[in-house]
Amino acid sequence: MPTPDKAAAVAELTDKFRSSNAAVLTEYRGLTVAQLKQLRRSLGENSEYAVVKNTLTKIAANAAGINTLDDLFNGPTAVAFVTGDPVESAKGLRDFAKDNPNLVIKGGVLDGKALSADEIKKLADLESREVLLAKLAGALKGKQTQAAQVFQALPSKLVRTVDALRAKQDEQGGAE
């Protein structure tokens, strides 16, 4: 029979899994409290890093419809719940793990799809959402400019062709 405290913890974790875009499971063994504080800051504003109990978190993940993480709930586990840009949080975890090898990224989930530790590292290599949107906007603007040039070229080419035909007809008319 679960205690009210455990039931409340499971409900809170379930809510976090449901309201997050992504969740990344890590092993934090060997990190100091100061290092954990630094890690929380490096994740950005849109992430919450919480040390969790494996059994309760597994129950909460399953209740939220996430069954792909079951194998990762072993050893000391902490979860980064990401509500904003997952790339920013993945970069924060990757960079922190480079400086602190005691942080091990186990895996995670992004929009319901399971991610391995390697896939999270690949996610961290992406540019941020804002940069990608800016590049897309620039590419679209460039395509519009090219299209405008093509559309402007067509009427002027038509006019030149008609003038050339008229000149040719005048030459042929004048030769007869």
Side-chain angles (χ1 to χ4, degrees), residues 14 17 23 27 31 38 57 59 64 78-79 81 118 130 135 141 148-149 154-155 167 171:
T14 302
F17 274 112
E27 183 175 322
L31 293 177
Q38 179 186 357
T57 309
I59 293 168
V79 182
F81 294 102
D118 289 336
E130 290 79 20
K135 285 185 176 184
K141 183 179 179 186
Q149 290 171 348
L154 290 175
E171 283 178 17

Side-chain angles (χ1 to χ4, degrees), residues 88-129:
E88 179 185 358
S89 298
K91 284 181 183 194
L93 285 168
R94 178 199 61 194
D95 295 344
F96 188 85
K98 282 180 185 176
D99 297 334
N100 300 283
N102 288 334
L103 180 73
V104 178
I105 298 172
K106 295 180 178 183
V109 64
L110 174 63
D111 293 328
K113 181 189 176 292
L115 297 175
S116 68
D118 289 336
E119 289 172 322
I120 292 171
K121 289 175 184 165
K122 287 179 186 174
L123 182 65
D125 291 337
L126 291 176
E127 293 174 338
S128 72
R129 182 176 189 271

Side-chain angles (χ1 to χ4, degrees), residues 14-116:
T14 302
D15 185 49
K16 285 182 183 179
F17 274 112
R18 286 185 179 145
S19 64
S20 299
N21 299 344
V24 180
L25 274 64
T26 63
E27 183 175 322
Y28 63 93
R29 187 185 324 224
L31 293 177
T32 65
V33 173
Q35 289 172 321
L36 287 174
K37 195 180 220 181
Q38 179 186 357
L39 172 59
R40 285 183 175 100
R41 278 193 302 260
S42 70
L43 289 178
E45 297 175 3
N46 300 322
S47 298
E48 181 181 339
Y49 190 75
V51 174
V52 295
K53 291 188 179 249
N54 288 331
T55 307
L56 300 179
T57 309
K58 186 176 181 180
I59 293 168
N62 289 330
I66 302 170
N67 303 319
T68 56
L69 301 176
D70 289 354
D71 296 338
L72 303 178
F73 292 113
N74 51 26
T77 303
V79 182
F81 294 102
V82 182
T83 55
D85 185 9
V87 174
E88 179 185 358
S89 298
K91 284 181 183 194
L93 285 168
R94 178 199 61 194
D95 295 344
F96 188 85
K98 282 180 185 176
D99 297 334
N100 300 283
N102 288 334
L103 180 73
V104 178
I105 298 172
K106 295 180 178 183
V109 64
L110 174 63
D111 293 328
K113 181 189 176 292
L115 297 175
S116 68

